[in-house]
């Protein structure tokens, strides 16, 4: 077909008797390339117009399909145009290089199909996790894992097809993979362990991108940024990236505070021994305050009790949960509660205790500083210093 077409065009141009065969070949090749450029330009603008038109419809999948197919369609037009131009050059020159035209066309077509599929997978992934396009967006970690697996399947399939196109036996490649897989497995056991660890993370989903995680077994704490097939990237709270091999998550305990229902307030507050008569009323008022606090989750455990005679205080345990799980808001609520407890204690004329020591002295033993202080005080009052048993109290941090 191409020979008959070229012969007709050649006879038509030859009839003018003005151009040599080389010039005639150049004109035909130029015309094909120029026509390819025009067609590619038209196709690109037509697809863009369809994208704008379908963007106003409720169907979101046609937008994804058009956006994924626009560039591959333009590439397909160029592939066909260059192929026909090369065929024309091959018809006139018989050069060895042009004998690979058919193989290059097949490989180019495979590449365009793979490009289209990878673009479509990416568009679908973006749609499924977008709250703007989906009423109930899917979990990003799950969608990302399925997307990666789909891309891997497409690429592996494409590689096998390319090898078959180039004349390699797929059965031989698979047999080699079976025999060499053992050696590769031993050589890359850590890599495979990380790969399967990543699969476990994607399947069990102990955490997802954006979660705050920590491990009591390792010095790992921060926000998950990316879950790869080999490593998981965690941004620590000092804003440093931490790269954790996925195999580690199969052997360590992982805590996910992002999934907590409430945050806990657990404090022990001590009052003075001198205020023991007010203890029951103070405890009752603190409990009532917490039960009526708008930020306290009363459906969970709430404990306010006098729990211990400590060395220098009477201890009250305050155990409750806030409704919020946000870190900053939690501390604001905790501050408000502690201030209210302080007001309740002060309202009864009591005080929050701090460590004190009382020193008892034997009869006849006095401190020099204490004695001079009493003498000066007595002289100022016109009295004699008082003698007797010594007892000095020191209040302060022990």
């Amino acid at each position: 077909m191409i020979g008959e077409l070229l012969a007709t065009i050649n006879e038509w141009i030859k009839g003018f008797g003005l151009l040599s065969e080389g010039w005639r070949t150049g004109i035909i090749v130029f015309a094909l390339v120029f026509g390819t450029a025009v067609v590619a330009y038209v196709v690109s603008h037509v697809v863009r117009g369809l994208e704008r038109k379908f963007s106003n419809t409720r169907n979101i999948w046609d937008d994804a399909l058009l956006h994924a197919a626009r560039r591959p369609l333009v590439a397909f037009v160029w592939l066909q145009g260059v192929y026909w131009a090369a065929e024309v050059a091959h018809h006139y020159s018989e050069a060895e290089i042009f004998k690979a035209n058919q193989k290059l066309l097949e490989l180019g077509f495979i590449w365009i199909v793979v490009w289209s599929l990878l673009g479509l997978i990416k568009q679908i992934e973006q749609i499924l996790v977008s709250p703007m396009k989906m009423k109930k967006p899917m979990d990003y970690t799950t969608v990302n894992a399925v997307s990666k697996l789909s891309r891997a399947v497409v690429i592996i399939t494409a590689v096998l097809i390319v090898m078959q196109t180039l004349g390699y036996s797929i059965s031989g490649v698979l047999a080699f993979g079976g025999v060499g897989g053992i050696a590769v497995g031993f050589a890359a056991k850590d890599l495979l362990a990380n790969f399967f660890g990543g699969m476990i993370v994607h399947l069990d989903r102990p955490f997802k991108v954006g979660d705050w995680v920590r491990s009591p077994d390792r010095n790992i704490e921060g926000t998950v940024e990316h879950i790869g097939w080999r490593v998981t990237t965690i941004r620590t709270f000092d804003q440093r990236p931490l790269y954790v091999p996925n195999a580690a998550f199969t052997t360590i305990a992982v805590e996910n505070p992002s999934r907590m229902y409430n945050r806990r307030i657990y404090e022990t507050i001590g009052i003075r021994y001198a205020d023991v008569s007010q203890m029951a009323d103070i405890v009752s008022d603190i409990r009532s305050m917490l039960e009526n606090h708008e930020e306290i989750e009363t459906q969970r455990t709430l404990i306010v009790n006098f729990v211990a005679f400590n060395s220098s205080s009477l201890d009250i345990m305050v155990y409750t949960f806030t409704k919020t799980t946000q870190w900053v808001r939690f501390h604001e609520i905790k501050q408000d509660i502690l201030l209210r407890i302080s007001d309740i204690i002060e309202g009864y004329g009591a005080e929050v205790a701090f460590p004190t020591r009382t020193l008892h002295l034997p009869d006849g033993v006095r401190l020099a500083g204490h004695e001079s202080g009493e003498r000066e005080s007595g002289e100022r009052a016109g009295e004699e210093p008082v003698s007797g048993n010594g007892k000095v109290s020191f209040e302060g941090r022990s």
Side-chain angles (χ1 to χ4, degrees):
M1 176 180 176
I2 186 171
E4 296 176 357
L5 179 61
L6 291 176
T8 303
I9 298 175
N10 187 42
E11 289 296 329
W12 180 73
I13 297 178
K14 189 177 180 181
F16 290 96
L18 299 175
L19 301 175
S20 64
E21 183 177 358
W23 279 98
R24 291 195 298 270
T25 304
I27 290 175
I28 295 174
V29 171
F30 174 79
L32 287 172
V33 174
F34 181 78
T36 300
V38 172
V39 174
Y41 179 82
V42 171
V43 169
S44 178
H45 279 69
V46 168
V47 176
R48 284 181 183 274
L50 291 175
E51 283 188 74
R52 288 193 294 269
K53 180 179 179 181
F54 285 107
S55 63
N56 298 322
T57 62
R58 294 184 178 180
N59 191 348
I60 57 178
W61 303 110
D62 52 7
D63 301 342
L65 181 61
L66 287 172
H67 188 73
R70 179 170 58 83
R71 291 184 178 179
L73 279 176
V74 174
F76 178 75
V77 172
W78 275 104
L79 178 67
Q80 290 294 319
V82 172
Y83 168 75
W84 286 106
E87 283 293 300
V88 170
H90 182 215
H91 180 79
Y92 285 104
S93 67
E94 298 294 336
E96 291 294 328
I97 191 173
F98 293 113
K99 291 184 178 180
N101 286 347
Q102 188 63 35
K103 289 292 183 183
L104 291 176
L105 178 66
E106 294 175 1
L107 295 177
F109 181 74
I110 295 172
W111 171 66
I112 290 173
V113 171
V114 171
W115 188 10
S116 303
L117 291 176
L118 293 180
L120 183 60
I121 291 171
K122 183 178 180 180
Q123 291 295 317
I124 294 175
E125 177 185 359
Q126 293 176 351
I127 290 174
L128 292 178
V129 300
S130 173
M132 302 296 294
K133 297 180 180 180
M134 299 290 292
K135 293 182 179 179
K136 295 182 178 180
M138 298 181 64
D139 177 59
Y140 174 79
T141 304
T142 303
V143 174
N144 184 255
V146 175
S147 174
K148 289 178 181 177
L149 183 62
S150 301
R151 286 196 291 266
V153 170
V154 170
I155 292 173
I156 293 173
T157 305
V159 170
L160 294 177
I161 294 174
V162 167
M163 295 183 68
Q164 185 71 32
T165 302
L166 295 176
Y168 295 97
S169 173
I170 297 180
S171 58
V173 173
L174 295 177
F176 173 77
V179 174
I182 299 175
V184 173
F186 280 110
K189 59 180 181 179
D190 292 337
L191 182 63
L192 293 176
N194 291 327
F195 176 79
F196 287 109
M199 289 186 61
I200 296 300
V201 170
H202 286 302
L203 292 174
D204 291 346
R205 292 191 294 177
F207 52 81
K208 59 182 178 61
V209 174
D211 281 358
W212 164 26
V213 297
R214 61 182 299 272
S215 172
D217 301 334
R218 300 279 185 89
N219 188 22
I220 298 174
E221 185 170 14
T223 304
V224 179
E225 281 193 344
H226 177 70
I227 303 174
W229 287 113
R230 192 182 68 85
V231 298
T232 294
T233 305
I234 296 175
R235 182 71 59 174
T236 62
F237 292 134
D238 58 359
Q239 298 304 304
R240 298 181 182 180
L242 178 65
Y243 303 98
V244 183
N246 288 331
F249 295 114
T250 63
T251 58
I252 64 174
V254 178
E255 181 182 340
N256 191 340
S258 298
R259 297 180 183 176
M260 68 175 72
Y261 296 115
N262 308 94
R263 284 190 180 273
R264 184 182 66 173
I265 296 176
Y266 181 23
E267 295 290 332
T268 300
I269 301 168
I271 64 174
R272 302 176 307 177
Y273 272 83
D275 304 319
V276 65
S277 60
Q278 309 296 330
M279 175 63 77
D281 294 333
I282 291 174
V283 168
S284 177
D285 283 5
I286 293 175
R287 183 183 297 110
S288 177
M289 180 271 294
L290 292 175
E291 290 174 346
N292 293 286
H293 198 288
E294 62 276 6
E295 294 293 342
I296 295 299
E297 181 56 75
T298 56
Q299 300 301 318
R300 296 200 175 273
T301 304
L302 192 155
I303 302 173
V304 182
N305 285 108
F306 169 38
V307 292
F309 291 96
N310 213 331
S311 58
S312 56
S313 64
L314 303 175
D315 290 347
I316 304 171
M317 182 181 73
V318 177
Y319 187 96
T320 187
F321 292 87
T322 63
K323 293 180 180 179
T324 185
T325 60
Q326 296 180 5
W327 180 247
V328 176
R329 180 58 182 156
F330 164 75
H331 282 287
E332 293 174 352
I333 297 170
K334 183 176 180 180
Q335 172 183 285
D336 177 66
I337 288 173
L338 293 179
L339 290 175
R340 293 192 187 191
I341 292 174
S342 178
D343 291 340
I344 291 172
I345 294 173
E346 290 180 0
Y348 284 95
E351 293 182 11
V352 176
F354 53 85
T356 60
R357 288 183 179 180
T358 301
L359 179 62
H360 295 270
L361 300 177
D363 294 342
V365 178
R366 302 177 65 84
L367 293 178
H370 184 62
E371 184 178 356
S372 61
E374 286 184 349
R375 185 180 298 112
E376 291 176 1
S377 176
E379 290 173 353
R380 285 196 300 269
E383 299 176 356
E384 293 294 328
V386 180
S387 62
N389 293 337
K391 179 179 179 182
V392 181
S393 295
F394 298 94
E395 294 184 351
R397 299 288 180 183
S398 60

